[in-house]
Amino acid sequence: MDTILNYILGLGAAIFLPVIMILLGLAMRMKLKKALIAGLTLGVAFTGMNVVLGFMFEAISPAATALVERTGLQLTAIDVGWSPMAAIAWAWPYALVLFPLQIGINLCMLGFKWTNCLNVDLWNVWGKIFTASVVAALTGNLMFGFIAAGIQIVLELLNADVMQKQLHGITKIPGVTCTHPMMLQGAFLGLINRMLDFIPGINKINMNAVQLKEKLGIFGENSVMGFLVGGLIAFMGGYDAKGILTTAMQVATALVLFPMVAKLFMQALAPIADATSSFMKSKFKGREFYVGLDWPFLAGQAEIWVTAIVLVPIELILALVMSQMGMNNVIPLASIINVVVAVPALIVAGGNLFRMIIISTIATPMYLAVATSFAPMITDMAAKTGTLQVTAGQFITWIQLEAPEFRWAIAHAFNGELLGIGALVIFAVAFAWYYRYMQKVNAQLDQK
């Protein structure tokens, strides 16, 4: 069973999720032809988005690496990105238990009307496995790991419900929401955004990509913004003229292609979401249901990429400053384009690019600090599972820890540490506030 499941997961989200969506469509009484077309279009959308993402990362990552080298950072923890973390999670001996746990909790919450979200993003169950394995490794208690993962599943579903209207307003895709772990950061980022409401001057600035284009003219175009920001990163990395122009053009190309590929998600998801909503409403009168998905259907929003790219030099400066203060030991590399903070910032800021950059900047030290804290444990987990072997004195970690404040708090709280318990209580209070705040925002949207 383990071999079969690993083979299926090894096919990747671009194949695994379309199969799930085709089966879901058929279960929701879609015609075979429509279900197949929708599923295949979703696979094309995922593949296309991954191609563009890979293209941009290949352009930016070498420039970012060169920039890191020019800073002279001498740190022992290397940011290796999400892929090795996923490999560590899947190598955990109890990984398969998280599938029935996630499905069971979801169905239970649907039955008791605690959520209206049907989470079909089974690919990202590895995020729950990662949380469970980290908690189990730190506490030495397997049951604590499963309980922590269960809490994360519940919070993801509640969060998916309360932000669906904002997602619909941004993407125009009906009946779809996001259950990715990164969205749990809304509780923390939402507080920052609310605080900005009380700062004179800042609270009056509202500028998304469209408004930026209107105000800046040609400089607000995706192609021009990408060209300028990509060229700036390459220049800071010490590239020659050819390298600067090449990198600038590659980033410009990526920013232009993102919205084009994102339209495929709407073509694929709208029919399945409509069929699911109609079927569920026929069975449960008076209820509205949403399909929970991975985050790439949001990737067409230019604000995400402008924020993430502008954040690159900021991350390096903060890494350098925090290392001098003894608060950071991580070299930002594989995850230096931090979409994990930019995506939830898009939601809480309502697409306000100016606020997204401020919020992301304020949150960045938390990513570096938690990645530093988790580095020894992650390195040890990699060695024990046989996933990666690291040279003595060197560590691996992951800056994009997807809700790092939650994962750090719950791991150390279950370990019986007062600081961890206090952090978890603060997160719970922040999430409760965020949930109620988003409900008020939703009520205002309904009135409009």
Side-chain angles (χ1 to χ4, degrees):
M1 184 64 186
D2 183 64
T3 302
I4 294 173
L5 189 57
N6 284 333
Y7 175 78
I8 294 173
L9 291 170
L11 297 174
I15 296 177
F16 179 73
L17 287 179
V19 171
I20 295 294
M21 295 302 281
I22 290 171
L23 294 176
L24 176 64
L26 293 175
M28 297 298 112
R29 299 178 181 175
M30 285 182 72
K31 292 183 178 179
L32 178 60
K33 178 182 177 180
K34 288 187 176 181
L36 283 173
I37 291 175
L40 289 174
T41 303
L42 182 61
V44 171
F46 266 106
T47 301
M49 192 59 71
N50 286 332
V51 168
V52 181
L53 281 171
F55 176 73
M56 189 177 75
F57 288 164
E58 288 175 7
I60 289 290
S61 293
T65 301
L67 183 52
V68 169
E69 293 173 352
R70 295 191 80 191
T71 64
L73 284 174
Q74 297 294 325
L75 305 173
T76 58
I78 299 175
D79 164 38
V80 296
W82 72 269
S83 297
M85 299 302 113
I88 292 171
W90 289 120
W92 192 51
Y94 308 98
L96 296 182
V97 177
L98 270 296
F99 278 101
L101 181 65
Q102 174 167 306
I103 295 170
I105 290 175
N106 194 174
L107 293 178
C108 180
M109 290 181 67
L110 282 168
F112 284 101
K113 299 182 179 180
W114 295 338
T115 184
N116 292 320
C117 174
L118 176 63
N119 184 9
V120 301
D121 183 18
L122 296 179
W123 166 256
N124 274 314
V125 75
W126 80 264
K128 272 69 75 174
I129 298 171
F130 184 76
T131 298
S133 62
V134 166
V135 172
L138 185 63
T139 64
N141 189 310
L142 182 62
M143 188 54 63
F144 283 171
F146 289 133
I147 294 172
I151 292 172
Q152 180 174 326
I153 292 167
V154 171
L155 292 177
E156 286 175 0
L157 291 168
L158 293 175
N159 190 41
D161 281 336
V162 82
M163 68 178 180
Q164 192 277 330
K165 282 186 171 61
Q166 281 80 1
L167 288 172
H168 177 254
I170 291 169
T171 66
K172 309 304 179 186
I173 303 176
V176 170
T177 186
C178 185
T179 47
H180 196 284
M182 70 170 72
M183 294 304 188
L184 294 181
Q185 294 163 115
F188 176 62
L189 303 185
L191 276 174
I192 299 174
N193 183 65
R194 188 71 181 109
M195 291 175 186
L196 296 179
D197 289 338
F198 300 98
I199 300 178
I202 289 179
N203 58 6
K204 300 297 183 181
I205 301 175
N206 186 3
M207 188 178 297
N208 58 28
V210 174
Q211 293 165 330
L212 186 66
K213 189 180 299 184
E214 292 174 352
K215 291 181 179 295
L216 299 182
I218 188 173
F219 293 102
E221 296 288 342
N222 284 6
S223 56
V224 179
M225 283 192 296
F227 188 88
L228 293 176
V229 177
L232 177 62
I233 299 297
F235 173 77
M236 294 172 66
Y239 279 29
D240 59 16
K242 179 182 178 182
I244 292 172
L245 292 173
T246 300
T247 302
M249 188 59 72
Q250 289 173 331
V251 176
T253 301
L255 287 190
V256 170
L257 291 178
F258 277 131
M260 297 180 182
V261 178
K263 292 179 181 178
L264 294 172
F265 282 99
M266 181 180 294
Q267 295 177 24
L269 294 172
I272 295 175
D274 287 342
T276 302
S277 179
S278 299
F279 179 82
M280 298 297 279
K281 285 179 180 178
S282 69
K283 300 297 181 182
F284 302 93
K285 301 294 184 182
R287 288 186 65 182
E288 186 175 8
F289 292 91
Y290 316 122
V291 177
L293 292 172
D294 199 355
W295 76 271
F297 72 94
L298 285 161
Q301 308 305 311
E303 294 86 355
I304 292 174
W305 304 108
V306 174
T307 300
I309 296 172
V310 168
L311 208 58
V312 170
I314 295 174
E315 285 176 310
L316 292 173
I317 293 170
L318 288 171
L320 180 61
V321 172
M322 290 176 64
S323 69
Q324 299 301 313
M325 299 169 63
M327 299 172 60
N328 173 58
N329 192 34
V330 182
I331 301 175
L333 286 175
S335 307
I336 198 166
I337 304 177
N338 194 358
V339 296
V340 167
V341 68
V343 174
L346 174 79
I347 307 304
V348 300
N352 187 331
L353 179 60
F354 180 73
R355 286 200 177 198
M356 287 173 64
I357 294 173
I358 294 177
I359 292 168
S360 299
T361 299
I362 294 173
T364 294
M366 176 180 62
Y367 287 86
L368 293 168
V370 175
T372 296
S373 173
F374 276 1
M377 182 170 54
I378 290 174
T379 305
D380 184 59
M381 289 167 60
K384 287 181 177 178
T385 58
T387 308
L388 289 172
Q389 295 297 326
V390 182
T391 305
Q394 192 76 52
F395 301 96
I396 61 168
T397 190
W398 181 33
I399 290 180
Q400 295 179 356
L401 269 163
E402 298 169 353
E405 70 281 17
F406 167 75
R407 280 182 162 140
W408 188 93
I410 201 165
H412 289 277
F414 274 107
N415 200 37
E417 301 172 34
L418 289 179
L419 189 59
I421 294 171
L424 187 60
V425 170
I426 292 172
F427 178 84
V429 172
F431 187 86
W433 168 86
Y434 166 74
Y435 190 87
R436 291 195 296 269
Y437 176 74
M438 293 293 277
Q439 285 180 319
K440 292 180 182 178
V441 173
N442 291 337
Q444 294 172 356
L445 291 175
D446 289 338
Q447 290 176 359
K448 292 179 181 180

